Amino acid sequence: MDDTPEKSGRPEEGDQILAIRTIAMPADTNPAGDIFGGWLMSQMDLAAGNIAAMISGGRSATVAVDGMQFLSPVKVGDEVSLYAEATRIGRTSMRIHVEAWRRVRHHETRVKVTDAHFTFVALDENGRPRPVIAAD
């Protein structure tokens, strides 16, 4: 049995975390065979949402996305890794930077695809903004 003390899973500002790793599938493509930008953006929102939930200790919602530019296409079969970090934690909001990287399945080289800043607001049971509370 491991006697290592438990660590809080709560990310701090500046902690970059591998939030999601997935494979781009044929159902996620446009007619040209590239992965839809909307699919990639939704994966990034999920990654940022994972971090927001850990930071806020509960429900939160995306309220803004800033600065997304697609630098390289994602193809079917590419491994997509999404790294997220909180860049600002306010009273009720969190700003989370997400980077998306792709790796062709049969190679080791990774290529940055895009990045963006997602702003989330912590919500109470009525869907109203609430103070960010650390998850225990």
Side-chain angles (χ1 to χ4, degrees):
M1 185 156 107
D2 186 4
D3 291 330
T4 306
E6 288 186 27
K7 288 185 177 182
S8 168
R10 181 182 189 267
E12 304 277 333
E13 283 185 34
D15 289 345
Q16 189 178 59
I17 295 168
L18 174 61
I20 294 177
R21 181 168 283 152
T22 189
I23 303 295
M25 300 299 286
D28 306 318
T29 61
N30 62 26
D34 296 327
I35 298 300
F36 279 115
W39 176 84
L40 185 57
M41 186 174 180
S42 71
Q43 295 299 308
M44 294 172 73
D45 189 42
L46 288 169
N50 284 343
I51 304 307
M54 286 192 283
I55 291 169
S56 70
R59 183 176 169 204
S60 61
T62 309
V63 295
V65 180
D66 298 317
M68 183 176 285
Q69 292 182 339
F70 295 101
L71 308 172
S72 177
V74 176
K75 300 289 186 183
V76 170
D78 286 354
E79 175 187 89
V80 178
S81 298
L82 301 158
Y83 296 89
E85 70 178 299
T87 57
R88 185 182 150 313
I89 301 172
R91 192 179 77 75
T92 62
S93 67
M94 299 149 282
R95 184 169 168 91
I96 299 166
H97 181 246
V98 180
E99 291 184 357
W101 292 75
R102 72 174 174 86
R103 182 184 64 81
V104 176
R105 288 184 83 158
H106 307 294
H107 299 285
E108 293 182 27
T109 304
R110 295 181 320 137
V111 176
K112 186 174 178 182
V113 176
T114 189
D115 69 322
H117 292 275
F118 290 75
T119 303
F120 280 76
V121 170
L123 301 175
D124 66 15
E125 60 279 351
N126 298 313
R128 298 285 214 200
R130 66 163 172 84
V132 173
I133 300 170
D136 290 321

XYZ file of all heavy atoms in Angstrom, residues 4-5 8 23-24 36 39 42 45 61 63 67-68 80 84-85 91 98 100-103 108 122 126 128 131 133:
224
model
N 1.956 7.486 0.573
C 2.126 8.864 0.146
C 0.892 9.666 0.538
O -0.232 9.240 0.269
C 2.315 8.936 -1.381
O 3.383 8.086 -1.754
C 2.587 10.353 -1.837
N 1.085 10.830 1.173
C -0.075 11.637 1.543
C -0.842 12.066 0.288
O -0.252 12.303 -0.759
C 0.522 12.851 2.249
C 1.962 12.596 2.411
C 2.335 11.428 1.564
N -4.163 17.578 -2.955
C -5.366 18.188 -3.496
C -5.268 18.150 -5.008
O -4.221 18.415 -5.580
C -5.469 19.641 -3.019
O -6.458 20.314 -3.752
N -8.599 10.745 -29.854
C -8.257 10.460 -31.242
C -9.331 11.076 -32.130
O -10.528 10.879 -31.891
C -8.179 8.934 -31.512
C -7.180 8.262 -30.575
C -7.860 8.655 -32.973
C -5.744 8.681 -30.759
N -8.915 11.804 -33.162
C -9.849 12.378 -34.123
C -10.405 11.260 -35.004
O -9.642 10.474 -35.564
C -9.142 13.430 -34.969
N -13.398 19.080 -38.149
C -14.112 20.340 -37.979
C -13.475 21.178 -36.884
O -13.144 20.668 -35.800
C -15.566 20.090 -37.549
C -16.502 19.746 -38.663
C -17.090 18.499 -38.701
C -16.821 20.669 -39.648
C -17.985 18.173 -39.704
C -17.700 20.349 -40.650
C -18.284 19.096 -40.686
N -15.452 20.872 -33.706
C -15.172 19.696 -32.870
C -13.990 19.994 -31.960
O -14.026 19.713 -30.759
C -14.879 18.470 -33.735
C -14.484 17.270 -32.931
C -15.320 16.379 -32.330
C -13.151 16.838 -32.619
N -14.591 15.409 -31.661
C -13.254 15.679 -31.819
C -11.882 17.320 -32.929
C -12.145 14.988 -31.341
C -10.781 16.642 -32.449
C -10.915 15.489 -31.652
N -14.934 22.367 -29.221
C -15.724 21.732 -28.162
C -14.840 20.883 -27.253
O -15.056 20.851 -26.039
C -16.862 20.889 -28.747
O -16.379 19.722 -29.385
N -13.207 23.293 -24.949
C -14.144 23.756 -23.934
C -14.316 22.704 -22.844
O -14.374 23.033 -21.651
C -15.486 24.093 -24.587
C -16.448 24.786 -23.646
O -16.017 25.677 -22.886
O -17.640 24.445 -23.682
N -19.845 27.688 -15.940
C -20.275 27.824 -17.334
C -19.289 28.680 -18.112
O -18.729 29.644 -17.580
C -21.662 28.452 -17.396
N -18.347 31.557 -20.453
C -18.973 32.835 -20.789
C -18.243 33.560 -21.920
O -18.810 34.466 -22.522
C -19.114 33.761 -19.555
C -20.078 33.143 -18.547
C -17.781 34.075 -18.928
N -9.308 34.635 -28.737
C -8.016 34.465 -29.379
C -7.743 33.158 -30.082
O -6.584 32.778 -30.197
N -8.742 32.480 -30.604
C -8.485 31.200 -31.266
C -8.132 31.412 -32.733
O -8.845 32.085 -33.467
C -9.712 30.290 -31.171
C -9.479 28.916 -31.775
S -10.874 27.821 -31.545
C -10.662 27.439 -29.829
N -5.021 13.909 -30.369
C -5.164 15.312 -29.979
C -5.012 15.399 -28.464
O -5.736 14.735 -27.726
C -6.525 15.885 -30.431
C -6.683 17.326 -29.973
C -6.677 15.784 -31.943
N -4.349 22.448 -20.332
C -5.072 23.603 -19.808
C -4.413 24.108 -18.534
O -3.856 23.324 -17.760
C -6.525 23.219 -19.534
N -4.481 25.412 -18.349
C -3.980 26.014 -17.115
C -4.797 27.248 -16.775
O -5.207 27.999 -17.659
C -2.508 26.375 -17.222
C -2.209 27.526 -18.148
C -0.732 27.895 -18.185
O -0.183 28.273 -17.142
O -0.161 27.805 -19.276
N -12.965 36.369 -8.184
C -13.947 36.086 -7.136
C -14.990 35.076 -7.607
O -15.293 34.124 -6.904
C -14.629 37.385 -6.696
C -15.447 37.212 -5.420
C -16.099 38.492 -4.964
N -17.270 38.827 -5.757
C -18.453 38.214 -5.640
N -18.623 37.246 -4.787
N -19.465 38.581 -6.393
N -6.049 27.134 -22.943
C -6.003 25.768 -23.453
C -5.178 25.748 -24.728
O -5.371 26.586 -25.611
C -7.416 25.210 -23.748
C -7.337 23.787 -24.287
C -8.285 25.263 -22.502
N -4.032 23.123 -27.892
C -4.338 21.857 -28.565
C -3.137 21.464 -29.427
O -2.625 22.276 -30.205
C -5.576 22.003 -29.436
N -2.695 20.234 -29.261
C -1.560 19.689 -30.007
C -2.007 18.404 -30.706
O -2.809 17.644 -30.159
C -0.409 19.357 -29.061
C 0.211 20.578 -28.458
C -0.304 21.353 -27.459
C 1.446 21.169 -28.834
N 0.548 22.388 -27.179
C 1.634 22.299 -28.003
C 2.427 20.843 -29.770
C 2.752 23.116 -28.104
C 3.542 21.659 -29.861
C 3.702 22.779 -29.042
N -1.473 18.155 -31.893
C -1.782 16.916 -32.595
C -0.505 16.119 -32.814
O 0.588 16.663 -32.890
C -2.468 17.168 -33.932
C -1.560 17.737 -34.997
C -2.278 17.822 -36.338
N -1.446 18.489 -37.310
C -0.532 17.888 -38.062
N -0.323 16.601 -37.965
N 0.180 18.582 -38.923
N -0.696 14.812 -32.883
C 0.417 13.908 -33.184
C -0.109 12.855 -34.144
O -1.117 12.206 -33.866
C 0.934 13.231 -31.906
C 2.131 12.311 -32.149
C 2.547 11.574 -30.882
N 1.521 10.673 -30.394
C 1.300 9.446 -30.883
N 2.006 8.963 -31.885
N 0.346 8.687 -30.355
N 6.336 10.554 -33.536
C 6.471 11.136 -32.201
C 6.314 12.642 -32.195
O 6.050 13.237 -31.158
C 7.842 10.771 -31.615
C 7.990 9.294 -31.338
C 9.338 8.970 -30.701
O 9.916 9.851 -30.036
O 9.789 7.837 -30.889
N -18.276 30.530 -11.973
C -18.809 29.542 -11.038
C -20.285 29.854 -10.806
O -20.668 31.020 -10.662
C -18.040 29.593 -9.722
N -28.943 27.758 -8.554
C -29.942 28.482 -9.343
C -29.367 29.052 -10.637
O -30.042 29.816 -11.329
C -30.554 29.611 -8.507
C -31.283 29.070 -7.296
O -32.062 28.128 -7.415
N -31.014 29.643 -6.130
N -26.828 31.147 -10.844
C -26.331 32.505 -10.602
C -24.856 32.444 -10.249
O -24.394 31.484 -9.629
C -27.096 33.136 -9.425
C -28.565 33.289 -9.678
C -28.750 34.415 -10.588
N -29.967 35.137 -10.302
C -30.517 35.902 -11.199
N -29.957 36.031 -12.370
N -31.608 36.554 -10.913
N -19.182 32.755 -5.540
C -17.738 32.800 -5.328
C -17.084 31.464 -5.666
O -17.673 30.407 -5.460
C -17.601 33.095 -3.830
C -18.887 33.742 -3.444
C -19.932 33.100 -4.330
N -14.939 28.482 -5.009
C -14.570 27.789 -3.771
C -13.674 26.619 -4.153
O -13.998 25.869 -5.067
C -15.812 27.270 -3.022
C -16.725 28.438 -2.663
C -15.422 26.470 -1.793
C -18.078 28.015 -2.138
